[in-house]
C-alpha cells in the first residue's frame, strides 16, 4: 500500500512540474516488394490510429482513393491524410515500383499511432491497387511481414481497354469508364483478356506485394 501511494505521489509531482516522460517515438522502415508483372504507382504509407480507414472492403472507395486507383494520382490522398488528427506520419515513394523491385520508406510510430496502411495502383488496369489497411504494428516484433493482394476500387468498369488505362502500353490518364462500375472495394479478379490487355503479360496471382515492417 505504501509503495502504491509513493508511486502516485511521484506521478502527481511530475505532472505538476511538467516532467512526465514523453511517449516513446520509433521509426518504422517499410519495405514494399513488387511481386507482380505490373508497374505500381509510387506507394503511399501512413501511420495512424485505429480510427483511420484508407479503404474498407465492401464499402465505396473515397474520391481520393479512386484517383490513386484509376490514375496513380496520390496528391489528394496524401493531402487528406496529412491533415488528419488521427494520422501521425505519411510517406510517399519518389517513383514507380517496377516488377521485382523494392521501395523503402520510413514513418514515425508512437503510442496510439500504431496502425499502418499502404496503397499503390497497378497501373496497367482500370482501377486496381494493392492495399494494406489498419495493420497493427507490434512494437515487440523487430520485423513483421505481410502478403498483400490487389483490390478493385469499384469506381471504374474493368473493360481492359487501353482508352481508359494510364499504364503501358496504353498511356491514357484521367479517362474513366464509370458505367457498370461495381461501386465498392473488393478483391480484384485480375486481367482476363476481354479488352486490349494480354493476360500473359499483365495478369497476376495474389499476393501482388510483400510488405516488411522493420522497427528501428
Amino acid at each position: 500500500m505504501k509503495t502504491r501511494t509513493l508511486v502516485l505521489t511521484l506521478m502527481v509531482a511530475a505532472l505538476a512540474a511538467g516532467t512526465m516522460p514523453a511517449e516513446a517515438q520509433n521509426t518504422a522502415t517499410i519495405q514494399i516488394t513488387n511481386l507482380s508483372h505490373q508497374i505500381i504507382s509510387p506507394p503511399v504509407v501512413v501511420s495512424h490510429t485505429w480510427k483511420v480507414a484508407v479503404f474498407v472492403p465492401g464499402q465505396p472507395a473515397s474520391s481520393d482513393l479512386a484517383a490513386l486507383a484509376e490514375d496513380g494520382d496520390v496528391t489528394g490522398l496524401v493531402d487528406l491524410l496529412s491533415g488528419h488528427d488521427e494520422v501521425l506520419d505519411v510517406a510517399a515513394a519518389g517513383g514507380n515500383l517496377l516488377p521485382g523491385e523494392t521501395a523503402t520508406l520510413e514513418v514515425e510510430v508512437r503510442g496510439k499511432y500504431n496502425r499502418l496502411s499502404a496503397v499503390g495502383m497497378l497501373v496497367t488496369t482500370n482501377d486496381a491497387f494493392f492495399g494494406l489497411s489498419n495493420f497493427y504494428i507490434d512494437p515487440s516484433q523487430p520485423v513483421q511481414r505481410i502478403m498483400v493482394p490487389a483490390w478493385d476500387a469499384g469506381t471504374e468498369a474493368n473493360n481492359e481497354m487501353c482508352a481508359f488505362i494510364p499504364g503501358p502500353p496504353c498511356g491514357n490518364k484521367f479517362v474513366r469508364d464509370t458505367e457498370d462500375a461495381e461501386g465498392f472495394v473488393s478483391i480484384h479478379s485480375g486481367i482476363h483478356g476481354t479488352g486490349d490487355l494480354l493476360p500473359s503479360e499483365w495478369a497476376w496471382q495474389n499476393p501482388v506485394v510483400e510488405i516488411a515492417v522493420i522497427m528501428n
Side-chain angles (χ1 to χ4, degrees):
M1 193 67 176
K2 289 182 178 179
T3 301
R4 183 182 178 191
T5 302
L6 177 60
V7 171
L8 288 173
T9 301
L10 290 172
M11 289 180 65
V12 171
L15 282 169
T19 58
M20 284 294 287
E23 283 184 309
Q25 183 156 317
N26 298 306
T27 300
T29 297
I30 313 300
Q31 295 180 339
I32 304 173
T33 301
N34 185 353
L35 306 177
S36 77
H37 292 292
Q38 287 267 339
I39 297 171
I40 294 175
S41 68
V44 175
V45 298
V46 53
S47 60
H48 55 85
T49 73
W50 64 270
K51 296 181 180 179
V52 173
V54 175
F55 68 94
V56 178
Q59 297 295 318
S62 69
S63 59
D64 293 311
L65 179 63
L68 178 143
E70 294 172 352
D71 296 298
D73 182 1
V74 304
T75 307
L77 188 63
V78 169
D79 287 348
L80 175 68
L81 293 170
S82 297
H84 200 297
D85 290 341
E86 300 294 328
V87 169
L88 177 61
D89 201 6
V90 182
N96 290 333
L97 182 58
L98 300 180
E101 291 190 344
T102 298
T104 301
L105 304 95
E106 291 188 345
V107 290
E108 299 300 323
V109 180
R110 73 161 183 265
K112 67 179 182 178
Y113 302 99
N114 59 5
R115 303 299 175 109
L116 181 77
S117 294
V119 288
M121 181 191 184
L122 280 65
V123 301
T124 306
T125 68
N126 293 97
D127 62 345
F129 68 101
F130 86 82
L132 178 69
S133 181
N134 231 313
F135 176 79
Y136 173 64
I137 303 172
D138 186 348
S140 70
Q141 299 294 320
V143 180
Q144 293 174 276
R145 297 186 184 277
I146 316 103
M147 307 303 283
V148 181
W151 297 89
D152 188 334
T155 56
E156 187 175 346
N158 295 323
N159 59 29
E160 301 179 21
M161 300 296 294
C162 263
F164 302 96
I165 292 174
C170 305
N172 291 305
K173 294 188 70 172
F174 308 117
V175 185
R176 297 163 183 149
D177 178 10
T178 58
E179 188 175 354
D180 298 324
E182 297 84 357
F184 60 92
V185 176
S186 60
I187 290 291
H188 203 288
S189 64
I191 300 296
H192 301 285
T194 57
D196 299 319
L197 305 180
L198 293 175
S200 59
E201 294 184 22
W202 304 107
W204 63 85
Q205 297 273 334
N206 280 325
V208 291
V209 303
E210 180 188 65
I211 297 179
V213 181
I214 305 166
M215 296 304 298
N216 300 322

